[in-house]
Amino acid sequence: MDVKKAVQKVIHKAWEDEAFKHDLIANPKVAIEMATGTKIPESIKIVVNDQSDASKSFINIPPKPDYDNMELTDEQLEQVAGGEIAISVIVSVTMSISAITVAAQQGIKKGW
């Protein structure tokens, strides 16, 4: 069973079975293994929070990216080497400056 289907199965089971939901929150690995038949490696830690209350919003803070050790994909490297990203930024900035200049000129004409 792929991960996405396993997660969907666990969520649906938690919606339908209150006892399972409590077990899932208390001991996620055991509950997930029982529901899906999939063994979860010891190195993986799972935290389950009940976010089913529609009156509350939750924010998940992911790990901070390690930009110093991040590598670009081949496609990103081609864009940088080909100048696509730089050209896009230059065009955007130029268009913004042009729009500001036009607005300022119109404002001066109107006596602002």
Side-chain angles (χ1 to χ4, degrees):
M1 178 178 297
D2 73 6
V3 173
K4 186 175 181 178
K5 285 183 181 179
V7 169
Q8 289 172 344
K9 182 176 182 175
V10 168
I11 290 170
H12 285 281
K13 187 169 175 71
W15 286 339
E16 301 298 324
D17 183 344
E18 195 68 29
F20 173 75
K21 182 167 88 171
H22 288 290
D23 291 343
L24 180 63
I25 293 167
N27 197 343
K29 279 189 183 181
V30 172
I32 292 168
E33 288 174 355
M34 297 280 290
T36 64
T38 303
K39 178 77 174 140
I40 299 171
E42 289 296 320
S43 61
I44 300 204
K45 293 182 175 131
I46 299 175
V47 176
V48 175
N49 291 309
D50 183 1
Q51 298 181 0
S52 58
D53 183 347
S55 68
K56 295 179 183 175
S57 293
F58 297 85
I59 297 173
N60 183 40
I61 301 172
K64 183 177 178 180
D66 182 5
Y67 294 116
D68 293 334
N69 293 316
M70 194 175 286
E71 293 185 24
L72 296 176
T73 65
D74 288 340
E75 182 180 339
Q76 291 167 326
L77 286 171
E78 287 176 21
Q79 288 177 340
V80 172
E84 291 178 34
I85 294 173
I87 290 170
S88 175
V89 171
I90 291 169
V91 169
S92 295
V93 170
T94 303
M95 290 174 66
S96 296
I97 292 171
S98 296
I100 292 167
T101 302
V102 169
Q105 288 171 346
Q106 290 174 350
I108 290 169
K109 287 178 185 175
K110 292 179 181 179
W112 292 344

